[in-house]
Amino acid sequence: MLCIICGQSFATTLTEKEKSVRSIVSGIVSYSRWPALSGQPKLCIFSSSRFAQVLSDSGSAALPYTPLIVQNESEALHATCDAVYFGNESPAAQLELFRNYQGRALLLIAEQNLECVIGSAFCLIINEETVRFSVNLDALSRSGVRVNPDVLMLARNKKHE
């Protein structure tokens, strides 16, 4: 009984920014396809993320991924993630993790990679009022993950949230 109440409380106390981050990440993962993956993809979420709790707690809504909080690159590598959500890890560290995953499809999403030139394929742009994302097409093409073209079009639209 207590868990049900906690889940409902969590769902109703999310800020608009938290809802936006969760919606964008869930949307990206939902419209992505990994080769030879059966079932939900595993999303490793770095504990340095401001939104780690929001992305890992399903509350009352089902998530399109299986969340796992990781503390560092070593934990992420051993967890055999299908996607990784970075907090304050540098773009160079994001790229290094990808290189260490040689031969496996891996989708990288970052919350603090404003230029989105190296590292992650998707980069959240979190401002005071809005959350949107940009895409690094080079990183995405190397990821081995196929993403629905409609998601890529949303990255061009400055008004999505």
Side-chain angles (χ1 to χ4, degrees):
M1 179 77 147
L2 182 59
C3 290
I4 293 170
I5 293 170
C6 292
Q8 290 171 344
S9 174
F10 175 78
T12 58
T13 59
L14 292 179
T15 66
E16 288 304 312
K17 190 180 296 188
E18 291 169 332
K19 289 177 190 174
S20 292
V21 167
R22 185 177 162 123
S23 175
I24 288 171
V25 172
S26 292
I28 290 169
V29 172
S30 293
Y31 288 96
S32 298
R33 297 291 170 258
W34 286 257
L37 177 67
S38 60
Q40 285 190 325
K42 184 188 301 180
L43 175 65
C44 289
I45 305 160
F46 271 80
S47 61
S48 62
S49 163
R50 294 186 321 191
F51 301 97
Q53 185 64 36
V54 171
L55 293 170
S56 64
D57 190 340
S58 64
S60 62
L63 295 171
Y65 53 82
T66 302
L68 177 67
I69 303 287
V70 295
Q71 305 299 317
N72 54 45
E73 179 182 339
S74 177
E75 283 186 22
L77 289 170
H78 286 97
T80 59
C81 311
D82 299 300
V84 176
Y85 183 90
F86 293 101
N88 62 15
E89 291 71 26
S90 71
Q94 295 167 28
L95 187 58
E96 182 65 24
L97 181 111
F98 179 76
R99 286 182 179 148
N100 288 328
Y101 254 75
Q102 289 287 329
R104 289 201 53 220
L106 181 66
L107 184 65
L108 302 181
I109 305 169
E111 107 185 353
Q112 305 225 13
N113 184 346
L114 296 178
E115 280 99 41
C116 208
V117 176
I118 66 166
S120 293
F122 290 95
C123 305
L124 273 61
I125 302 162
I126 303 167
N127 297 318
E128 287 305 312
E129 298 87 30
T130 62
V131 179
R132 53 190 184 90
F133 67 96
S134 60
V135 63
N136 176 337
L137 292 174
D138 289 336
L140 183 59
S141 67
R142 287 190 301 272
S143 74
V145 178
R146 290 191 356 232
V147 178
N148 184 306
D150 292 341
V151 174
L152 304 179
M153 293 303 291
L154 279 176
R156 292 181 168 199
N157 180 0
K158 302 289 187 211
K159 295 186 182 209
H160 73 270
E161 295 177 34

